[in-house]
Amino acid sequence: MTAELIDGKAIAKTIRGEIAAEVETLKAKTGKVPGLAAVLVGQRKDSQTYVRMKKKACAEVGITSFGHDLPEDISQAELLKVVQDLNANPDVHGILVQLPLPDHIDDEEILGAISIEKDVDGFHPINIGRLSMKRRDPLFVPCTPKGCIELLDRSGVEIEGKQAVVLGRSNIVGLPVAMLLLHRNATLTICHSRTKNLPDVVRQADILIAAVGRAEMVRGDWVKPGAVIIDVGVNAVDDATKKKGYRLVGDVAFEEAKEVASKITPVPGGVGPMTIAMLLRNTLDGAKHAWGVE
Ligand code: NDP
């Protein structure tokens, strides 16, 4: 069998179109547009790229973005003040603090200082706590996990009653995506670095979410025939044929797995574009919440 491709790029484009239309309608109705503040500390090239991509995506759907490019040596108190000022700014509906922060910054305190009403990354402990409880809807769900579920939904994959296996238990991907699958009534297994007989556990999965950050770790013979695979991993592997000297691969050996699975996301072009689309969606939802419109 050759699996059907779950085209994250195309699905994200559709979602961005939906968001742009909704922003336009809201602007006509209220005279206002949603706003996202992106806080970047230091000069990390990858973080600069992510923030640039997020601002560009905002502009394309009509969301205003506010950039805060701060020096590497900013103090904890100064950064806290930036977050507090953004909390108080009525034109800002989402606050994004690009991670990782420099070592001298206590990121737990910074993320915890973001108003839960503006926590569009969904990393505030209250939002994560609500996500982990039954019938306690968080105001925001973290973007990459939310994007994984959206990919399943928009590809017509039934989640309820399915055996779902999540590889990875990080706060930003593995754990929240597992909670979302549980809320959707999947039967859930969460794997991590100490899991024994990993291939056997993975072979149980009707739905497999891979988020370990290990290039092509999941082989074709780990995959249950007909499984649906969402590959979150983004790993650079050396490739002399590429201009940059590397290429990006997922946590799943795509060529092998696609012969066994029924649906699979590619890397790149699968989960990645969904993460930004969900950030835009969360920002729009934050604005609607602030304006009291549905
Ligand atoms: P972390 O490094 O924070 O977590 C990795 C998880 O995988 C941990 O729970 C770890 O277990 C587990 N793990 C590591 N090695 C193994 C192994 N050999 N067998 C089983 N489990 C293992 O990574 P993230 O969750 O932040 O990211 C995961 C991947 O997703 C990365 O490739 C990252 O680049 C990508 N990513 C992609 C995004 C996108 O938008 N497409 C967004 C965010 C991340 P333990 O807890 O025991 O250490």
Side-chain angles (χ1 to χ4, degrees):
M1 187 199 321
T2 297
E4 190 186 310
L5 204 66
I6 300 179
D7 186 347
K9 220 168 150 182
I11 295 173
K13 189 172 173 208
T14 303
I15 294 172
R16 290 200 309 271
E18 293 165 4
I19 293 169
E22 214 178 322
V23 168
E24 197 53 45
T25 308
L26 279 171
K27 189 176 167 185
K29 213 194 267 180
T30 65
K32 295 185 277 197
V33 293
L36 175 72
V39 178
L40 175 65
V41 180
Q43 303 286 326
R44 278 180 68 116
K45 288 272 176 289
D46 54 349
S47 293
Q48 286 172 336
T49 305
Y50 292 139
V51 168
R52 199 168 47 242
M53 283 163 63
K54 289 167 185 175
K55 286 185 189 163
K56 184 166 168 266
C58 280
E60 281 167 9
V61 299
I63 292 177
T64 303
S65 61
F66 303 88
H68 291 266
D69 293 357
L70 305 169
E72 177 86 27
D73 61 358
I74 190 168
S75 71
Q76 180 82 12
E78 287 166 329
L79 185 53
L80 213 47
K81 174 83 170 57
V82 171
V83 170
Q84 285 158 351
D85 288 348
L86 292 171
N87 282 343
N89 184 341
D91 296 329
V92 171
H93 306 99
I95 302 172
L96 165 107
V97 176
Q98 186 63 44
L99 300 175
L101 290 168
D103 288 345
H104 69 278
I105 298 288
D106 173 359
D107 50 11
E108 204 179 326
E109 186 186 19
I110 300 297
L111 297 182
I114 297 173
S115 151
I116 60 163
E117 267 90 25
K118 300 189 179 188
D119 175 38
V120 284
D121 262 338
F123 295 151
H124 191 289
I126 292 181
N127 276 324
I128 291 286
R130 285 187 179 168
L131 180 65
S132 309
M133 295 167 85
K134 218 173 161 184
R135 289 189 286 275
R136 298 275 198 288
D137 283 340
L139 282 169
F140 298 104
V141 170
C143 301
T144 302
K146 185 169 168 159
C148 294
I149 302 296
E150 194 77 29
L151 283 175
L152 293 172
D153 284 343
R154 292 195 183 229
S155 306
V157 177
E158 177 89 38
I159 300 175
E160 181 159 331
K162 293 289 169 60
Q163 191 71 45
V165 173
V166 176
L167 293 183
R169 56 175 167 181
S170 72
N171 287 336
I172 60 168
V173 191
L175 220 49
V177 84
M179 290 304 120
L180 291 171
L181 289 163
L182 199 57
H183 291 317
R184 295 287 297 272
N185 299 320
T187 301
L188 182 68
T189 305
I190 305 174
C191 303
H192 45 76
S193 63
R194 319 287 161 83
T195 300
K196 303 255 189 286
N197 305 323
L198 194 59
D200 288 341
V201 179
V202 172
R203 253 177 237 118
Q204 308 290 316
D206 300 313
I207 297 171
L208 173 66
I209 314 270
V212 284
R214 299 268 181 268
E216 301 182 322
M217 186 182 86
V218 177
R219 310 309 308 185
D221 64 358
W222 296 25
V223 176
K224 179 177 177 176
V228 175
I229 301 177
I230 304 290
D231 190 353
V232 185
V234 181
N235 311 286
V237 293
D238 293 343
D239 186 341
T241 68
K242 302 284 175 198
K243 214 166 134 191
K244 289 180 175 166
Y246 68 87
R247 69 193 154 86
L248 297 179
V249 299
D251 290 341
V252 178
F254 181 83
E255 291 302 323
E256 294 174 16
K258 82 175 199 317
E259 297 306 321
V260 192
S262 64
K263 295 177 198 270
I264 186 168
T265 57
V267 176
V271 175
M274 293 299 287
T275 298
I276 292 189
M278 293 300 105
L279 176 69
L280 301 174
R281 163 57 61 195
N282 279 352
T283 304
L284 172 56
D285 288 349
K288 284 161 68 178
H289 181 77
W291 300 333
V293 291
E294 270 323 302

